[in-house]
Amino acid sequence: MLNRGNQNDIRQGLEPMAARVDPQLFCVERWQPGLRQFVQQLQALLLGMTAGPGMLLIVALAITGFTGGTGAAPLPWIPWAVAGTALAGWILAEIWAQHMVRTKFGEIVVGKGRLFGIPGNSDLNKALSGFINEFGDVGRLFTIFFLSRFLRSAVLEGLAFLATVGYLLSPNPLSLGAAIILIIAIPWGFPTLNGVTQWIVEMLRRLEYKRAESFSAQTAGPKER
């Protein structure tokens, strides 16, 4: 069985865990109702991040429309700088998110490491901590998913604002295209309850396999000596 020790705060270290995942955790009906509220909160956050640069871009298009695209001094290098920064930042955000998932997943496998909360949201962190206390690895895995999507989208939101400001400074189809693409990328792969549930179930299977593999390696070690 899983060790669902007393975790009072999501920022505290993970408790040591057994070698295998509790088979009952694969019974989605047990934890999916509690998961629903967190998925809805993540959806709201992503939509909010999309709305900010989206509204700014509408304002920018209105300004350039009224001025005929000549309201700012032409700076030929800005669109290229914006497009290059946007592309590099997007790639780094994706790599960072995937790296976070792999790193935190590896820490759960061995029962070490820390699950950090969502920056600036103590109420949500407290609720996630309670979800972890109740459902163990399901809560831990969802927290990884939540945090990786949140930070990825936060980076893309900043880049989208940057691209939109670049378009205001020097109206150009290149910077406009970069802004539009980044705004679309913020909620890309919009999380749904069924999609997140499938992701957690798949990660639980991987977790079971990795722990079994680690356990076999540990028990085989002394015999080889």
Side-chain angles (χ1 to χ4, degrees):
M1 297 294 291
L2 290 172
N3 183 345
R4 299 174 185 161
N6 297 326
Q7 264 186 319
N8 295 324
D9 194 294
I10 201 171
R11 298 176 185 274
Q12 296 178 353
L14 298 175
E15 295 291 334
M17 293 170 282
R20 295 181 66 83
V21 175
D22 184 349
Q24 293 183 0
L25 291 180
F26 287 95
C27 299
V28 175
E29 293 79 6
R30 292 183 54 209
W31 46 264
Q32 193 179 49
L35 180 69
R36 184 186 304 273
Q37 63 171 322
F38 297 114
V39 173
Q40 291 174 344
Q41 286 179 284
L42 179 57
Q43 291 173 341
L45 284 172
L46 296 183
L47 289 176
M49 291 178 180
T50 305
M55 292 300 295
L56 181 60
L57 181 60
I58 291 174
V59 172
L61 288 171
I63 292 174
T64 56
F66 281 123
T67 62
T70 60
L75 300 172
W77 58 270
I78 285 184
W80 294 100
V82 166
T85 302
L87 179 59
W90 189 359
I91 293 173
L92 288 176
E94 297 290 350
I95 293 175
W96 184 24
Q98 293 299 321
H99 173 73
M100 181 181 297
V101 171
R102 289 194 300 269
T103 300
K104 294 300 180 182
F105 177 79
E107 291 173 354
I108 291 178
V109 171
V110 298
K112 298 179 180 179
R114 294 164 57 88
L115 278 179
F116 296 100
I118 309 306
N121 200 326
S122 59
D123 291 338
L124 177 57
N125 291 335
K126 184 177 180 180
L128 284 171
S129 179
F131 191 61
I132 290 175
N133 286 335
E134 186 174 1
F135 296 111
D137 286 330
V138 170
R140 295 182 181 97
L141 289 169
F142 176 70
T143 302
I144 293 173
F145 178 87
F146 197 124
L147 185 58
S148 64
R149 287 303 306 271
F150 175 83
L151 294 179
R152 168 195 175 273
S153 296
V155 172
L156 293 178
E157 180 189 24
L159 292 170
F161 274 117
L162 176 64
T164 303
V165 171
Y167 175 71
L168 270 172
L169 293 175
S170 182
N172 184 283
L174 188 60
S175 52
L176 175 61
I180 293 174
I181 290 173
L182 286 169
I183 291 171
I184 294 173
I186 294 172
W188 188 261
F190 193 68
T192 63
L193 179 60
N194 288 337
V196 175
T197 298
Q198 292 175 6
W199 185 87
I200 291 175
V201 170
E202 176 60 27
M203 296 301 285
L204 283 172
R205 291 195 180 100
R206 294 185 187 182
L207 189 59
E208 183 178 34
Y209 174 79
K210 289 293 185 181
R211 284 181 176 162
E213 188 179 59
S214 176
F215 181 75
S216 298
Q218 290 176 3
T219 56
K223 296 180 181 180
E224 293 176 357
R225 298 191 188 99

